[in-house]
Amino acid sequence: MVAGKTEFIFEGNKLVLKHSNGVFITMNPGYAGRTELPDNLKVCFRPVAMMVPDYTLIAEIMLYAEGFSTAKILSGKFTKLYKLSSEQLSQQDHYDFGMRGLKSLLVASGALKRK
C-alpha cells in the first residue's frame, strides 16, 4: 500500500489490493506460550492502545445468555471474586484470573443451572 501498488503476488496467486481494507494483529506476549513478534514484522505494523474491557458488563451479558435472571447482581459478585483472587492468591503462572478464566466459570455455571 505504501508503494502505491494495486495488486501483489501471494503464494503464487495474484491478488488485488484494496486500499479500503486493513490488516490488524493482536498480540499478548505476556501470556503463557506466546512469543514477541519479530522486529522485521513489528516495523510493518503500528501499535494501537487498547483499554481493559468491562468484565462486569461482559459477565452480566454472559450470565443473561446462560439463563440467569439475577445476572446483574451475580456479575458483580463474580468479577469481585476474580479481582480479589488475582490480588490475594498465589501469583503462579498457571492460575488464570483473566477473562478466559471468568468465561470458563460463567459457562460452567450455566451448564450447572441447566442440569
Side-chain angles (χ1 to χ4, degrees), residues 21-51:
N21 293 354
V23 176
F24 301 91
I25 60 170
T26 57
M27 296 286 298
N28 190 358
Y31 210 76
R34 307 275 170 85
T35 59
E36 282 280 338
L37 193 64
D39 288 335
N40 61 337
L41 289 177
K42 274 186 189 175
V43 298
C44 296
F45 298 94
R46 65 178 179 175
V48 177
M50 303 291 283
M51 293 174 46

Side-chain angles (χ1 to χ4, degrees), residues 10-76:
F10 180 72
E11 293 185 356
N13 297 317
K14 185 190 231 181
L15 301 174
V16 177
L17 184 61
K18 295 186 178 184
H19 293 280
S20 61
N21 293 354
V23 176
F24 301 91
I25 60 170
T26 57
M27 296 286 298
N28 190 358
Y31 210 76
R34 307 275 170 85
T35 59
E36 282 280 338
L37 193 64
D39 288 335
N40 61 337
L41 289 177
K42 274 186 189 175
V43 298
C44 296
F45 298 94
R46 65 178 179 175
V48 177
M50 303 291 283
M51 293 174 46
V52 176
D54 184 350
Y55 281 32
T56 306
L57 180 60
I58 294 169
E60 180 183 343
I61 293 166
M62 288 185 66
L63 286 167
Y64 275 126
E66 293 288 347
F68 288 88
S69 58
T70 58
K72 190 167 203 68
I73 297 164
L74 289 173
S75 64

Side-chain angles (χ1 to χ4, degrees), residues 59-108:
E60 180 183 343
I61 293 166
M62 288 185 66
L63 286 167
Y64 275 126
E66 293 288 347
F68 288 88
S69 58
T70 58
K72 190 167 203 68
I73 297 164
L74 289 173
S75 64
K77 290 181 179 184
F78 275 125
T79 51
K80 280 182 187 163
L81 170 72
Y82 261 61
K83 184 177 184 303
L84 289 171
S85 297
S86 68
E87 292 171 354
Q88 296 181 6
L89 296 178
S90 173
Q91 298 298 313
Q92 296 178 30
D93 290 338
H94 59 272
Y95 291 123
D96 183 6
F97 297 112
M99 181 56 74
R100 183 174 291 156
L102 180 61
K103 182 179 185 306
S104 297
L105 177 70
L106 298 173
V107 169

